[in-house]
Amino acid sequence: KGKIIEKFSTFVSCPIPVPKNIVDMAKITDKDLCGAPSIDIALKRLYEFGNGCAFVGHNLSWDFSFLNYYGKDINVSFDGKVYDTLRLAKEILQGEIPNYKLFTLTTYFGVKQQGNRAVDQAMTNAKLFLEIAKWQSFLSWISCVKEFD
């Protein structure tokens, strides 16, 4: 309990060239996506990986709208237990910090930012969640924590 036990990461094929702003921000190129699975396959793999475990993320309503929009076509629904660090932080910090952005929260809790790619942000967020959980003594009732990106 309280440890990241597995990690899931994949690129997803893109039917158009990667836009320059994405290349600049995330350092993901068309070459990186060569041979990557389709969105359908990637979602099925993510679902199989996380089935039965909680999702941990920051502002998960955005992520889940995307996952469930694409998942509906392949009969995959991401509707399990979720721990949203945005909502948790708002509940426990109640105005102690100027905003609830991931960077602000990681600074407050002393979690080092990993980078700009989704896999990096997921790892940062997983570590943030574990810090919030320690602070709130959640760990006794969390049965499975995995990192999703």
Side-chain angles (χ1 to χ4, degrees):
K1 293 182 180 178
K3 293 182 182 179
I4 298 167
I5 58 172
E6 290 181 73
K7 180 173 152 180
F8 176 90
S9 179
T10 186
F11 284 120
V12 175
S13 64
C14 184
I16 62 170
V18 178
K20 184 178 177 347
N21 64 320
I22 300 300
V23 173
D24 293 343
M25 179 189 68
K27 310 296 186 241
I28 296 171
T29 66
D30 292 322
K31 185 177 177 183
D32 294 324
L33 304 184
C34 184
S38 68
I39 186 72
D40 294 354
I41 292 170
L43 283 176
K44 285 178 184 176
R45 289 178 184 167
L46 175 61
Y47 181 80
E48 290 167 4
F49 175 80
N51 193 20
C53 291
F55 271 84
V56 174
H58 192 76
N59 195 17
L60 282 175
S61 60
W62 184 89
D63 296 292
F64 273 77
S65 66
F66 173 84
L67 292 173
N68 286 319
Y69 176 82
Y70 286 98
K72 74 177 185 240
D73 292 338
I74 56 170
N75 296 320
V76 169
S77 178
F78 295 90
D79 55 6
K81 185 175 263 275
V82 296
Y83 297 100
D84 188 331
T85 54
L86 175 65
R87 293 183 70 198
L88 291 170
K90 284 182 175 182
E91 288 177 25
I92 63 174
L93 296 177
Q94 297 181 8
E96 287 185 41
I97 54 177
N99 61 60
Y100 298 95
K101 294 177 182 177
L102 186 59
F103 178 79
T104 304
L105 292 172
T106 55
T107 301
Y108 182 87
F109 283 98
V111 174
K112 186 177 180 213
Q113 288 272 341
Q114 303 285 321
N116 266 347
R117 286 196 174 176
V119 67
D120 301 323
Q121 298 248 329
M123 182 60 84
T124 298
N125 197 71
K127 291 177 179 178
L128 172 63
F129 172 74
L130 293 174
E131 288 303 312
I132 291 172
K134 286 180 199 171
W135 201 67
Q136 284 298 105
S137 301
F138 292 163
L139 294 179
S140 62
W141 50 270
I142 297 171
S143 62
C144 182
V145 178
K146 292 184 180 183
E147 173 194 353
F148 295 89
D149 64 320

